[in-house]
Amino acid sequence: MTAHELTAVVTATYEIWMRTNALIMEALAGHRLTPATFQALWAIDPDEPPPSMKVMAERLYCNAPNLTFITNQLTERGLVERAVDPSDRRSRVLVMTPKGREVRAELLRTTLEKTPLGVLSESELRQLMTLLSRVVQPTTPISG
């Protein structure tokens, strides 16, 4: 693959992300969320144990002060609560509230309805998922 082709793929990936954000902006605004706060809400799987602040920073590729800012916004909106990590009392975890579960589910549905990827067929989506799975590997978080 040439640098030009790789640039085109990265640009397309970025464009899909930005268009999706633009298409869901009204739904986010209805809950006083931004793309960053929604991304944090998305990163908390309500069916898994609550993630620690460290895990959340890694998932969001951000530093502690940025995560604190985002977490404060989610807490103020009643979507998450900070709790003591039962496995490490020095650590905090983010617990999704019932309201947070409802808002997350609603916004995930809206995102899936509006994403530009929705034009792909089931087989195209499977093919894309196979390709994306090859490049989505756990990596060292980027500070930001």
Side-chain angles (χ1 to χ4, degrees):
M1 178 178 283
T2 68
H4 177 72
E5 290 169 321
L6 184 56
T7 300
V9 170
V10 171
T11 300
T13 304
Y14 176 77
E15 178 70 19
I16 292 165
W17 173 249
M18 295 306 291
R19 283 182 52 207
T20 300
N21 280 331
L23 292 167
I24 66 169
M25 199 56 72
E26 185 177 327
L28 295 179
H31 294 288
R32 297 182 313 131
L33 295 175
T34 64
T37 52
F38 175 51
Q39 187 177 5
L41 199 59
W42 185 312
I44 302 171
D45 184 338
D47 297 326
E48 292 182 0
S52 69
M53 296 291 280
K54 179 181 179 196
V55 166
M56 283 298 293
E58 291 170 356
R59 288 179 183 175
L60 298 174
Y61 296 91
C62 71
N63 59 29
N66 287 343
L67 181 59
T68 297
F69 180 76
I70 290 168
T71 301
N72 287 345
Q73 291 179 350
L74 293 173
T75 302
E76 289 167 8
R77 286 156 183 76
L79 304 176
V80 300
E81 296 173 345
R82 289 179 180 92
V84 173
D85 185 340
S87 64
D88 180 357
R89 303 213 34 92
R90 299 167 296 168
S91 181
R92 298 281 177 257
V93 294
L94 290 180
V95 179
M96 194 170 300
T97 66
K99 179 182 177 182
R101 287 174 181 262
E102 289 175 21
V103 169
R104 181 183 188 272
E106 174 194 324
L107 292 173
L108 285 174
R109 277 191 307 274
T110 300
T111 301
L112 296 179
E113 289 168 4
K114 295 185 179 267
T115 180
L117 295 172
V119 302
L120 298 177
S121 69
E122 284 186 41
S123 68
E124 289 170 326
L125 285 171
R126 276 193 293 280
Q127 183 181 13
L128 180 59
M129 188 63 226
T130 299
L131 294 170
L132 292 174
S133 294
R134 287 181 50 198
V135 297
V136 177
Q137 303 288 328
T139 59
T140 304
I142 300 168
S143 295

